[in-house]
Amino acid sequence: MANVVVVGAQWGDEGKGKLVDWLSARADVVVRFQGGHNAGHTLVIGDRVFKLHALPSGLVRGGKLSVIGNGVVLDPWHLVKEIEGLRAQGVEITPETLVIAENAPLILPFHGELDRAREEQNAAARIGTTGRGIGPAYEDKVGRRAIRVADLGDAATLERRLERALVHHDALRAGLGLEPVDRAALLAALKEVAPQILPFAGPVWKLLDERRRAGRRILFEGAQGALLDIDFGTYPFVTSSNVIAGQAATGAGLGPGAVDFVLGIVKAYTTRVGEGPFPTELHDADGRRLGERGHEFGTTTGRRRRCGWFDAVLVRQSCAINGIDGIALTKLDVLDGFDELKICVAYELDGVRLDHLPAAAGLQARCRPVYETVPGWRESTEGARSWADLPAAAVKYVRRIEELIGCPAALVSTSPEREDTILVTDPFAD
């Protein structure tokens, strides 16, 4: 059976939650493989709205196994709160429906404190972090001082590892003017939360290997977007993990041969939250219109998203880096009513035409978009479920995007509703 990786191909907020939920009807297992609760997915199912941050989107669809992989950094207190919130909405969450990798590193309160203190003291060059401790938690993982889920079940190991982490963090805190961490209080809090986390813990790599060998379909759910990848994003305005499709194998414990199809989620225009370069950003009425019609506010932070025209250069770059087999184009309905639309087809840098965004920050800042103007449409595309339901100009817009990015559209989403989706190619088809 085919296994599918879903990744964002822009700066996040592309509508991955809806597409993962829609695709999970064809999957048996849904896996989160990177990131933390700094990314959010909003699912609209009938008159019910679910906002997910750490939990896989597959949980809201019954009969699926949801998995949090080792590539995720996990705030245990946030997870408990999120589980309780979904249960209050009628979603069943048990160790039979949710499994957490026992080797996933934890986000602890001092990670968030460090994250926020750094941003506050670095006003001249802020990264735009959410302040939830994701970056410092990944730093501790690489620095071999992280506390992992399995450590919650062993008091002696937990104390040793906490001591090792705090030798490092108390020194950092002193330099930032913060008080040392209260070891006893944190240790007590970890021991208190442990019984709520440990029943879900297990060897995810083994579980997924067994499910794969049994012919079960696995859907890998990425968070954020490829342009925020720690290696290939607009550094340093990026997240602290690898976001691209190659991370699905590493962040879940399977080999790269486990991936059969990479689906890139692409918004029909471009948005970005926080700091960093954005060549097609609009500061005019068109930009405000996109933001208002698209309800462009972050699921996790509530921050207003910056808006701009579709950037085919960046999406083409993402398709190459991720090995994307097909895109899912979302929010096409937000473009309804524009007389004309613009697509960035190249950049101009100091009089030279470029077909990619360079890695150097100074060069990125000087890149200017080269636009192609295409006709808009007056008719509504909202709720369309087939090509025949779309205006001719909307179809031409989608086809032009396919040509420019060198990748076909596998799905087109025309509203937040689960079923308002045009299926062109089933990613799970064998």
Side-chain angles (χ1 to χ4, degrees):
M1 294 292 185
N3 298 321
V4 176
V5 176
V6 173
V7 293
Q10 295 158 304
W11 278 296
D13 310 309
E14 301 95 348
K16 292 181 293 296
K18 171 195 166 172
L19 271 301
V20 169
D21 171 62
W22 190 87
L23 287 166
S24 68
R26 295 162 168 76
D28 302 296
V29 184
V30 181
V31 184
R32 271 286 307 272
F33 61 85
Q34 55 76 221
H37 64 298
N38 55 333
H41 289 167
T42 299
L43 309 182
V44 180
I45 303 172
D47 59 352
R48 305 170 74 195
V49 177
F50 300 92
K51 294 184 181 293
L52 306 180
H53 302 272
L55 292 170
S57 298
L59 271 172
V60 302
R61 190 184 284 272
K64 311 294 175 183
L65 174 64
S66 290
V67 172
I68 296 177
N70 56 276
V72 173
V73 285
L74 193 67
D75 182 324
W77 297 278
H78 173 88
L79 183 69
V80 169
K81 182 178 179 181
E82 192 169 330
I83 288 173
E84 291 173 349
L86 281 188
R87 282 174 173 164
Q89 289 186 276
V91 178
E92 182 183 16
I93 303 176
T94 69
E96 285 68 48
T97 62
L98 174 66
V99 179
I100 302 170
E102 59 191 0
N103 54 336
L106 299 180
I107 302 172
L108 303 178
F110 57 74
H111 289 132
E113 292 168 3
L114 176 60
D115 209 356
R116 294 186 291 273
R118 283 172 169 170
E119 281 287 88
E120 290 169 4
Q121 295 196 14
N122 197 26
R126 287 182 176 174
I127 300 299
T129 172
T130 60
R132 284 162 169 76
I134 280 75
Y138 274 117
E139 289 177 35
D140 279 0
K141 174 183 178 178
V142 176
R144 294 168 291 184
R145 54 181 173 266
I147 293 171
R148 306 197 296 179
V149 170
D151 299 333
L152 295 175
D154 182 342
T157 299
L158 181 61
E159 291 185 29
R160 284 197 305 272
R161 295 201 170 173
L162 182 58
E163 184 64 28
R164 174 178 169 79
L166 292 184
V167 167
H168 174 80
H169 278 273
D170 279 345
L172 288 179
R173 294 169 69 88
L176 290 167
L178 300 175
E179 294 294 321
V181 173
D182 186 331
R183 286 162 165 73
L186 178 53
L187 187 60
L190 284 166
K191 290 179 177 178
E192 182 181 4
V193 79
Q196 301 176 74
I197 301 296
L198 288 172
F200 298 101
V204 158
W205 65 268
K206 183 174 183 293
L207 173 67
L208 293 178
D209 181 61
E210 291 169 351
R211 296 300 172 100
R212 183 190 175 210
R213 290 177 184 275
R216 301 294 186 264
R217 289 175 167 175
I218 303 173
L219 180 62
F220 299 91
E221 173 186 3
Q224 300 150 313
L227 301 178
L228 295 173
D229 185 88
I230 186 67
D231 287 311
F232 294 101
T234 48
Y235 192 89
F237 303 101
V238 293
T239 192
S240 298
S241 63
N242 284 115
V243 179
I244 59 176
Q247 176 65 17
T250 305
L254 288 172
V259 175
D260 300 295
F261 191 99
V262 178
L263 181 70
I265 313 302
V266 177
K267 195 177 286 186
Y269 48 102
T270 311
T271 62
R272 177 167 199 167
V273 171
E275 308 298 325
F278 185 170
T280 66
E281 183 174 9
L282 295 171
H283 301 281
D284 58 10
D286 286 336
R288 291 191 295 274
R289 183 176 178 182
L290 289 171
E292 291 166 2
R293 294 207 59 194
H295 305 290
E296 296 297 350
F297 296 90
T299 301
T300 300
T301 63
R303 289 185 292 182
R304 181 184 295 274
R305 297 178 187 133
R306 300 153 64 190
C307 297
W309 296 119
F310 186 84
D311 192 330
V313 180
L314 285 179
V315 175
R316 183 171 62 245
Q317 200 162 318
S318 286
C319 287
I321 292 166
N322 286 279
I324 291 174
D325 297 293
I327 67 166
L329 192 69
T330 65
K331 290 201 167 185
L332 184 65
D333 55 302
V334 173
L335 301 180
D336 293 353
F338 280 90
D339 291 324
E340 61 181 30
L341 304 167
K342 292 183 179 180
I343 303 174
C344 176
V345 297
Y347 300 133
E348 184 178 286
L349 174 61
D350 301 336
V352 178
R353 188 178 175 107
L354 294 182
D355 63 356
H356 70 285
L357 186 68
L363 299 182
Q364 290 177 350
R366 300 205 304 275
C367 283
R368 297 293 177 261
V370 177
Y371 285 119
E372 174 182 299
T373 301
V374 298
W377 55 88
R378 284 291 175 183
E379 306 93 324
S380 174
T381 63
E382 185 175 0
R385 299 183 182 182
S386 71
W387 286 116
D389 296 334
L390 294 178
V395 174
K396 289 180 180 178
Y397 182 74
V398 177
R399 295 305 188 201
R400 183 56 180 149
I401 285 175
E402 291 177 318
E403 293 173 358
L404 290 168
I405 67 174
C407 192
L411 301 103
V412 178
S413 172
T414 56
S415 93
E417 294 291 338
R418 175 186 278 173
E419 300 304 326
D420 291 344
T421 305
I422 300 170
L423 175 63
V424 183
T425 301
D426 188 347
F428 278 117
D430 298 331

